[in-house]
Amino acid sequence: MGEVIATKVLDVIQPRAQLTWAGRDVSQTLSSFVKSLSYTDIIESDNTGTDMLSLTLVNKDGIFNEAWFPQEGDVLKPGIGWKDAKGNKYLWLFGEFTIDDVTFKLSPDEVTIGASAKPKNRGKLENIKSQKFENIKFTALMKQIASGCELDYVEGNIPNDFTFKSTQQRNESTQAYLERIVNETTIPVSIKSNKLVVGEFEDSVLEIDLRNRDVITNAVLPMSKRGTYSAVEIEYFDQVSQETFIYRAGDASLSGDKVKKLYNISNVNSINDAKQYAESYLQDGDKKQSTRQNASGRLNLINTVARAGQSIRLLNSGKIANNWKATTVNTSISGERWSTNIQMKRKES
């Protein structure tokens, strides 16, 4: 997950990119070439997130055309280092990433490197295959998937480690299968630094004073929830008849945005399964529905350490909702400017 040295930094001096490339610390060597460094940290309950990295280097002298030519598959360990007004030094490392995209540009002469937290051997995560699991607990399934993809397994808080009666990966990649399971269960699963990270994690609370515009550059804080569904429709494959059927719970006359359509639910293999799942999903208090329909907001900050999954408390907010959880955090450094963009969902009070 990576260690966070500080929760919030207001007196940052000389932020700089920290970078280990293919096992070698090149922070000093490449510091004058780094135009920007951007790290995207994701922990979502609606889909499987993969941490991403983007590094743009100035290539005016063509150094990256030959001597420092970036190779796909090279391992990067990036981060940010900085000092405070007292001269204390800090270091925040983001984890391990593998280069999977390199783009050269002219006028201006630059090279942009894209990397992800997926394992170096991508095939076990991305190749299409089919497999079936029966009477298996959610955590046991996640551990088996992690092992099969050569990922370490990290488990957080999972309140309900339920059992799948039957679940199938049907002619799809393991990545797609994981995303389908996460969408069904709303249990966060993400790929970070060659790890499959599952569940919720307690982290320090990031407190932001809404009056402090030296830290906040922009914010969007919606107060109303999204519209609720009036019907839920499930398309499922019946294991007995070997046919595909559709079951709807709720108002049969509705269409459009008022109908939530679900496909390929892992644990729905019969009409009874479909009925139970759809009616549960439709209930106002159901975790799947309330999680998906929480209002989403955004904070743009400077000189602030923040992490996906972290709780955010807004101070001096008046009647504005003040409890949020970060789902996606983009941390970027360009020159001596350090900015943080937080996508977040409002927490239930």
Side-chain angles (χ1 to χ4, degrees), residues 111-234:
V111 56
T112 299
I113 297 171
S116 76
K118 292 180 181 179
K120 191 170 183 178
N121 183 359
R122 305 294 175 82
K124 296 191 175 183
L125 189 64
E126 297 175 351
N127 290 347
I128 304 298
K129 65 178 181 180
S130 298
Q131 56 182 333
K132 185 176 182 179
F133 305 90
E134 293 184 331
N135 297 316
I136 187 170
K137 284 188 174 293
F138 173 82
T139 52
L141 177 60
M142 293 298 104
K143 289 175 183 177
Q144 192 164 329
I145 289 175
S147 176
C149 293
E150 298 180 357
L151 293 165
D152 292 332
Y153 177 79
V154 179
E155 184 178 306
N157 180 34
I158 302 174
N160 179 23
D161 187 12
F162 57 88
T163 298
F164 286 106
K165 183 171 63 177
S166 178
T167 176
Q168 295 184 68
Q169 181 177 350
R170 304 187 193 100
N171 195 31
E172 59 189 333
S173 69
T174 301
Q175 175 90 37
Y177 179 49
L178 276 171
E179 290 181 358
R180 182 155 56 85
I181 292 174
V182 171
N183 189 261
E184 295 168 19
T185 64
T186 72
I187 297 174
V189 176
S190 55
I191 299 173
K192 297 178 177 294
S193 193
N194 286 314
K195 301 178 180 67
L196 189 68
V197 180
V198 179
E200 300 278 357
F201 289 82
E202 293 296 325
D203 208 336
S204 56
V205 176
L206 177 60
E207 293 187 336
I208 299 293
D209 190 335
L210 292 186
R211 297 178 304 185
N212 189 350
R213 301 307 167 84
D214 291 333
V215 173
I216 301 175
T217 60
N218 183 263
V220 176
L221 304 168
M223 292 297 100
S224 59
K225 289 187 176 181
R226 300 174 188 170
T228 57
Y229 308 123
S230 297
V232 173
E233 191 172 276
I234 292 183

Side-chain angles (χ1 to χ4, degrees), residues 26-40:
V26 295
S27 304
Q28 295 298 324
T29 307
L30 295 185
S31 60
S32 61
F33 297 95
V34 176
K35 181 178 181 180
S36 64
L37 174 70
S38 178
Y39 162 51
T40 302

Side-chain angles (χ1 to χ4, degrees), residues 43-162:
I43 296 181
E44 257 283 16
S45 58
D46 291 351
N47 53 66
T48 303
T50 301
D51 286 3
M52 304 297 293
L53 181 79
S54 178
L55 175 65
T56 299
L57 302 165
V58 176
N59 194 31
K60 185 167 58 176
D61 299 323
I63 187 174
F64 298 101
N65 295 355
E66 292 186 19
W68 281 91
F69 189 81
Q71 300 278 355
E72 288 189 39
D74 280 356
V75 175
L76 303 178
K77 295 181 180 179
I80 294 178
W82 69 94
K83 295 190 298 184
D84 64 16
K86 297 179 181 179
N88 297 314
K89 294 182 179 180
Y90 299 86
L91 178 62
W92 178 22
L93 298 178
F94 302 150
E96 187 172 299
F97 299 79
T98 303
I99 295 177
D100 50 22
D101 180 67
V102 180
T103 302
F104 286 86
K105 300 178 183 177
L106 300 179
S107 299
D109 291 62
E110 298 173 349
V111 56
T112 299
I113 297 171
S116 76
K118 292 180 181 179
K120 191 170 183 178
N121 183 359
R122 305 294 175 82
K124 296 191 175 183
L125 189 64
E126 297 175 351
N127 290 347
I128 304 298
K129 65 178 181 180
S130 298
Q131 56 182 333
K132 185 176 182 179
F133 305 90
E134 293 184 331
N135 297 316
I136 187 170
K137 284 188 174 293
F138 173 82
T139 52
L141 177 60
M142 293 298 104
K143 289 175 183 177
Q144 192 164 329
I145 289 175
S147 176
C149 293
E150 298 180 357
L151 293 165
D152 292 332
Y153 177 79
V154 179
E155 184 178 306
N157 180 34
I158 302 174
N160 179 23
D161 187 12
F162 57 88

